[in-house]
């Protein structure tokens, strides 16, 4: 097949490489000239994706993968088009379809009779059928039955995309039964799957019967995680009032097959978990459980600062290091990271917040609007915001003058806890 992947970001580019590795001819379309130039040179445009550099170089050298700025021309040559363009949303999850609409229009202008179009960007329920199908018809001049349209959500984490593509079933839902069948055939031909004897159905491509069902599946699985974390955070806050170690409680609960409680933490960040529950609420504003969990998770950065103030004393004039700009450990990404709310809460309390992150240069930290902090500089207190592996090895000597640590991820070493009063969220009374 000839395939166009629209959007050469952290999901789209690995997808394009995967499709090419199966012997197909793939064009990656993007609007950023530098991204296109780097791909055509066989160079990954962003760091951190396991095996991407090696696999990209192989496919470009073999001539199976090229990149272009002309989406319409690429689509005109293609049997299948996969769209992985960002859908921007605000803090309340209200979608801004600007980039998606522009990409859809560009695809529509080149769309050929018989082609398959698959949206992988997470969408509110009904968007594929009610918004993008009419747009594709209008731009292409084709009738709705002259091409196939499906929604097939990405289910991967950046940094391990290739492994996750193999690990999890690929979900597909068409705007018609025929489109669903075409979607299954397409993804069967471009993906590989690990054996999963734990699944009720064989691993592979699962047809959910409609684009709406597939859209809801993506929102539901992510919203479940947010609700679960919200519950864990409420358990943690209660445990702090009673001198209970919530981590040992959760481990005990999860020894029973029906319990799957997640871990509490200082913040829930990234492109997915803070946002997709809001998309669900956009569809279903009466979902009170979802709304309460989102509120509970949003409150955790302020809770971490309040916990620090409780044990450290007034923060006015105190220099406080926030460890971690990234939203999670090992990933260079600050989308909806808890660092922003933690820093804001510290500043509101009169503290002077500074930020450290081993994945970012001092200039990059400053470009995010923060004051950079390096280990060895004097500091009064610390909040651990991201679970970078490097932070498991931090010693008291790295933090001269530190009097209090709030560990928002439960990762600090026993050595640090022995040397400095350290309060783990959910186990605040068990510091050494």
């Amino acid at each position: 097949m000839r395939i166009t992947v629209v959007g050469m970001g952290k999901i789209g580019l690995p997808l394009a490489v995967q499709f090419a590795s199966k012997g197909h001819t793939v064009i990656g379309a993007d609007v950023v000239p530098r991204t296109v130039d780097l791909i055509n040179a066989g160079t990954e445009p962003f760091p951190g994706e396991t095996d991407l550099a090696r696999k990209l170089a192989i496919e470009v050298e073999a001539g199976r993968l090229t990149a272009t700025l002309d989406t319409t021309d690429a689509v005109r040559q293609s049997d299948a088009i996969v769209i992985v363009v960002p859908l921007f949303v605000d803090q309340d999850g209200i979608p801004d379809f600007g980039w998606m609409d522009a990409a859809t229009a560009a695809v529509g202008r080149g769309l050929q009779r018989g082609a398959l179009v698959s949206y992988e960007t997470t969408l509110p329920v009904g968007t594929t059928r009610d918004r993008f199908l009419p747009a594709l018809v209008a731009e292409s001049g084709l009738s709705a039955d002259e091409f196939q349209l499906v929604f097939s959500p990405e289910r991967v984490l950046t940094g391990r995309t290739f492994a996750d593509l193999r690990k999890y079933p690929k979900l597909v839902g068409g705007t018609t039964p025929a489109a669903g069948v075409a979607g299954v055939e397409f993804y069967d031909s471009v993906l590989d799957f690990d054996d999963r004897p734990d699944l009720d159905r064989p691993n592979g491509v699962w047809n959910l019967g409609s684009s709406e069902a597939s859209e809801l599946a993506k929102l539901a699985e992510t919203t479940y995680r947010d609700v679960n974390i919200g519950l864990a955070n409420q358990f943690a806050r209660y445990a702090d009032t009673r001198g209970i170690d919530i981590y040992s409680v959760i481990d005990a609960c999860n020894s029973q097959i029906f319990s799957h409680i997640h871990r509490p933490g200082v913040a829930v960040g990234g492109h997915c978990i803070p946002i997709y529950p809001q998309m669900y609420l956009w569809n279903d504003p009466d979902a009170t459980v979802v709304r309460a969990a989102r509120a509970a998770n949003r409150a955790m950065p302020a809770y971490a600062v309040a916990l620090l103030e409780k044990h450290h004393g007034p923060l006015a004039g105190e220099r406080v290091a926030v460890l971690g700009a990234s939203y999670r450990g090992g990933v260079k990404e600050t989308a909806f990271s808890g660092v922003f709310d933690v820093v804001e809460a510290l500043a509101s309390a009169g503290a002077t917040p500074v930020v450290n992150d081993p994945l970012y240069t001092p200039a990059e930290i400053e470009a995010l609007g923060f004051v950079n902090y390096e280990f060895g500089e004097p500091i009064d207190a610390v909040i651990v915001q991201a679970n970078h592996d490097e932070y498991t090895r931090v010693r008291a000597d790295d933090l001269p003058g530190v009097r209090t640590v709030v560990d928002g991820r439960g990762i600090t070493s026993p050595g640090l806890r022995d040397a400095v009063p350290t309060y783990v969220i959910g186990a605040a009374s068990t510091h050494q």
Side-chain angles (χ1 to χ4, degrees), residues 210-233:
S210 71
S211 56
E212 290 83 1
S214 191
E215 289 164 336
L216 179 56
K218 175 61 178 182
L219 295 182
E221 68 184 17
T222 311
T223 298
Y224 161 80
R225 293 172 64 194
D226 196 47
V227 171
N228 194 321
I229 295 168
L231 181 62
N233 280 330

Side-chain angles (χ1 to χ4, degrees), residues 20 22 34 53 59 190 196 213 229 232 271 298 303 359 386 407:
K22 296 291 286 184
R34 181 176 180 273
E59 299 310 321
V190 295
R196 289 282 303 277
I229 295 168
H271 290 281
R298 277 185 172 176
Y303 175 74
L359 303 184
D407 182 354

Side-chain angles (χ1 to χ4, degrees), residues 151-225:
F151 178 76
S152 181
E154 53 84 9
R155 308 178 75 200
V156 301
L157 282 177
T158 55
R160 64 186 204 197
T161 300
F162 294 111
D164 284 350
L165 284 172
R166 299 179 62 96
K167 184 176 182 180
Y168 302 117
K170 185 64 173 158
L171 308 181
V172 172
T175 53
T176 65
V181 171
V184 170
E185 292 175 350
F186 168 73
Y187 283 107
D188 267 336
S189 73
V190 295
L191 298 177
D192 301 291
F193 296 97
D194 295 331
D195 183 37
R196 289 282 303 277
D198 58 307
L199 296 176
D200 293 334
R201 294 165 59 182
N203 199 4
V205 187
W206 293 11
N207 188 347
L208 297 190
S210 71
S211 56
E212 290 83 1
S214 191
E215 289 164 336
L216 179 56
K218 175 61 178 182
L219 295 182
E221 68 184 17
T222 311
T223 298
Y224 161 80
R225 293 172 64 194

Side-chain angles (χ1 to χ4, degrees), residues 42-67:
T43 303
E44 62 175 347
F46 47 81
E49 184 59 55
T50 302
D51 287 338
L52 178 59
R54 177 180 62 83
K55 292 186 176 186
L56 173 63
I58 291 171
E59 299 310 321
V60 170
E61 184 177 357
R64 289 186 290 266
L65 175 60
T66 58

Side-chain angles (χ1 to χ4, degrees), residues 321-326 339 354-358 373 375 382-388 391 394 399 405 409 412 416:
V322 181
L323 302 190
S326 297
V339 70
V354 293
V355 176
N356 171 277
D357 195 298
Y373 173 74
F375 290 119
V382 166
I383 294 178
V384 180
Q385 193 282 136
N387 57 330
H388 290 312
Y391 296 153
V394 172
L399 306 165
V405 174
R409 302 294 180 180
T412 48
L416 179 62

Side-chain angles (χ1 to χ4, degrees), residues 410-422:
I411 62 168
T412 48
S413 69
L416 179 62
R417 297 183 193 185
D418 285 340
V420 181
T422 300

Side-chain angles (χ1 to χ4, degrees), residues 298-330:
R298 277 185 172 176
M300 291 306 291
Y303 175 74
V305 173
L307 189 65
L308 177 63
E309 195 161 31
K310 174 183 176 181
H311 294 289
H312 183 85
L315 297 178
E318 297 293 273
R319 195 164 184 255
V320 181
V322 181
L323 302 190
S326 297
Y327 78 90
R328 68 178 173 92

Side-chain angles (χ1 to χ4, degrees), residues 223 226-227 276-278 280-281 284 287-296:
T223 298
D226 196 47
V227 171
Y276 300 156
Q278 296 288 353
Y280 178 78
L281 286 166
D284 181 12
T288 55
V289 172
V290 177
R291 193 177 306 281
R294 189 86 289 274

